[in-house]
Amino acid sequence: MASETYMPGPVCLIENMEGQLVVKQEALQILSAITQPMVVVAIVGVCSTGKSYLMNQLAGKKKGFSVGSTVQSHTKGIWMWCVPHPEKPGHTLVLLDTEGLGDVEKGDDKNDTQIFALASLLSSTFVYNTMNKIDQGAIDLLHNVTELTDILRARTLPDNGVKDADDIGNFFPDLVWSIRDFYLSLERDGQLMTADEYLQNSLKMKKGSDQRTQSFNLPRLCIQKFFPTRKCFVFDSPTHQKKISQLETLKEDDLSFQFVQQMAEFSSHIFNKSKIKTLPGGIKVNGPCLENLVRTYVNAISSRDLPCMENAVMTLAQRENAAAIKRALSHYDQLMGQKVQLPTETLQELVNLHRSSEGEAIEIFKKNSFKDEDQSFQKELQTLLDAKQNDICKKNEKASSDCCSALLQDIFGPLEEAVKQGLYSKPGGHNLYLQKTKELMTKYHQQPRKGIQAEEALQKYLKSKESVRNAVLQTDHALTAKEKEMEEARVKAEAAKAEAENAVVIHRQMQQMMEEKERLHQQQIRQMEIEIANILAQQHRNLAHLLQVLNQLFQPRVVFLSFLYKDESMKQCGEMKSTRVARGRDCGIRPWGVHPSSTVTKYMV
């Protein structure tokens, strides 16, 4: 349905009748017939600052919303104009023009803040129109209205899914701050800046914690939280001062070139950047939904159930600090979940991890809280952190106890089974049982990461097994003397058998030693015989050698002597001498005597 068909011009949506806000049924009927998603743009500002002119430009018309040309305020309450969205087919652009703030004819600014709050709650883009520059008064006014707006939202939509400050920031509309007749130079410290940087610098907070600094920072902090998306436009004066009253009838050529260009940039931003009005949970607002919101908010204001503005800051502080506590606790839980592995070896280890995480959680709280002047919320956080410490200590004890119980069952289970099978039901079984228990206790102590309940769990287990130990002891004592004697006889028999076997072994060893000694003796005799034989053989060889030498020295010599004997008797005597010499029978070698009368003809030795 085209806007020209059902809405050729703006109509009053909420009428202001002597301080009472009344919803107009004609406007609600128009809304109930529009099923398209809606982009809602509302403008708020001091009276006679050109708000209506801006809205007419967005509607694409020169006339529509009443433009005041005198000191008297024309717009009363909130007026609505629904037109097809110029950039989003199938969407409706809803323009809301509000009566001027600070009208001297009203004399009461309570109604101003109510209309201001309604405009911010109903819109997806909130245009805040001020004159000349951004000053502290404009910031304080916007701050006060955001507080009242949030309280109104919380009262009217208790189950809308808004849970913390992040959701609240998504609930509020985008802020577009328009500054009319801007006369300052956009520069800082000799450097040029944009309009957005000018707005950002105006909302910048100071460092410090004193009361004056907190008072300065609080409205800026609220505006930053409730309007996470912010944009700023500055406008020159549209024309000469004398022609301002004829602004609706002036042609574009009669307007300042800078103003026309700035207006085009403003309109382009509104058309392209403004979002569909969306409620928490992703619900896109159409005509019937917007109708319901209007009824709900106005009824809440008419019921006069809203707190005074002095309590608004306290309400805001309570909610923000509660959200800061929630963030801090969430951060603590995350850190402890990452660092702690239950059970811890010692209690001090767990305490150190808690203190580290606790410190970071408190820092998170301090960064996200404000106006906690008496530190009541920080004390509440500390109480909750202490409770968490007690809780995790109990969990640590239980984890240690469970771990130790499982470990004890695993280590002592075989011993329990051995007792059931009667392996210790014998004389001396009690001592064996105690010895085995001691060994298993040592094994238990050597196991790591049992936690702080390690010793207590062991003692508790041992105490629970006292009846078993006593039963083993009684069984040990109950054995009869005969059984003990039989046991002793068996032990003696085994000892005697072992002794006999040992004697046999010793005898065998002695026999082997004797045999070995005899073998060595015979071997020595043989060796001596060999040595004697060798000595005799050597002596024989030596003697033979000696004889050979002697034979060589005393070998018989043959002497042939020829004598001339005078007579035959002398000849015989000579032959006899020769024979003796030849036979070597003479003991010495000496010359034979020759008869002086004989003649020797020849001799040879």
Side-chain angles (χ1 to χ4, degrees), residues 139-168:
I139 292 175
D140 289 339
L141 178 59
L142 182 59
H143 164 226
N144 292 337
V145 173
T146 57
E147 291 180 342
L148 180 61
T149 301
D150 185 54
I151 295 170
L152 180 60
R153 176 204 58 76
R155 291 295 181 87
T156 54
L157 297 177
D159 298 322
N160 56 15
V162 180
K163 296 180 180 181
D164 55 31
D166 293 334
D167 293 329
I168 293 170

Side-chain angles (χ1 to χ4, degrees), residues 378-396:
Q378 185 170 335
K379 293 176 182 177
E380 179 183 351
L381 172 62
Q382 187 62 58
T383 301
L384 295 173
L385 290 173
D386 292 342
K388 284 186 173 292
Q389 181 186 11
N390 293 334
D391 182 62
I392 199 169
C393 286
K394 291 179 180 178
K395 290 181 179 179
N396 189 45

Side-chain angles (χ1 to χ4, degrees), residues 403-434:
C403 176
C404 293
S405 297
L407 183 61
L408 287 167
Q409 187 59 40
D410 182 61
I411 293 177
F412 285 86
L415 177 61
E416 295 178 6
E417 187 62 27
V419 172
K420 291 179 181 179
Q421 294 177 2
L423 299 182
Y424 294 94
S425 299
K426 57 185 178 180
H430 182 252
N431 289 334
L432 294 176
Y433 178 83
L434 294 180

Side-chain angles (χ1 to χ4, degrees), residues 18-34:
E18 297 181 356
Q20 294 296 322
L21 302 180
V22 180
V23 180
K24 303 296 290 185
Q25 293 302 317
E26 177 188 358
L28 295 183
Q29 290 176 1
I30 294 174
L31 287 176
S32 64
I34 303 175

Side-chain angles (χ1 to χ4, degrees), residues 523-537:
Q523 183 178 356
Q524 290 174 355
I525 292 174
R526 288 194 297 272
Q527 184 65 29
M528 290 175 63
E529 290 175 349
I530 293 170
E531 290 176 356
I532 291 172
N534 289 337
I535 292 171
L536 292 174

Side-chain angles (χ1 to χ4, degrees), residues 45-104:
V46 179
C47 59
S48 302
T49 56
K51 302 187 305 299
S52 299
Y53 180 83
L54 287 180
M55 301 304 279
N56 288 337
Q57 294 297 312
L58 293 177
K61 303 293 184 180
K62 287 188 176 182
K63 293 184 178 182
F65 291 109
S66 177
V67 178
S69 57
T70 65
V71 294
Q72 183 180 8
S73 174
H74 279 216
T75 303
K76 298 295 182 181
I78 299 178
W79 286 67
M80 177 184 72
W81 196 354
C82 300
V83 298
H85 198 289
E87 299 293 340
K88 297 180 180 180
H91 292 67
T92 297
L93 177 63
V94 182
L95 303 174
L96 300 180
D97 187 19
T98 62
E99 69 176 79
L101 305 177
D103 187 358
V104 294

Side-chain angles (χ1 to χ4, degrees), residues 349-364:
E349 177 184 349
L350 183 63
V351 170
N352 292 341
L353 292 173
H354 163 76
R355 288 176 179 173
S356 175
S357 301
E358 179 185 57
E360 291 193 31
I362 292 175
E363 288 301 317
I364 291 292

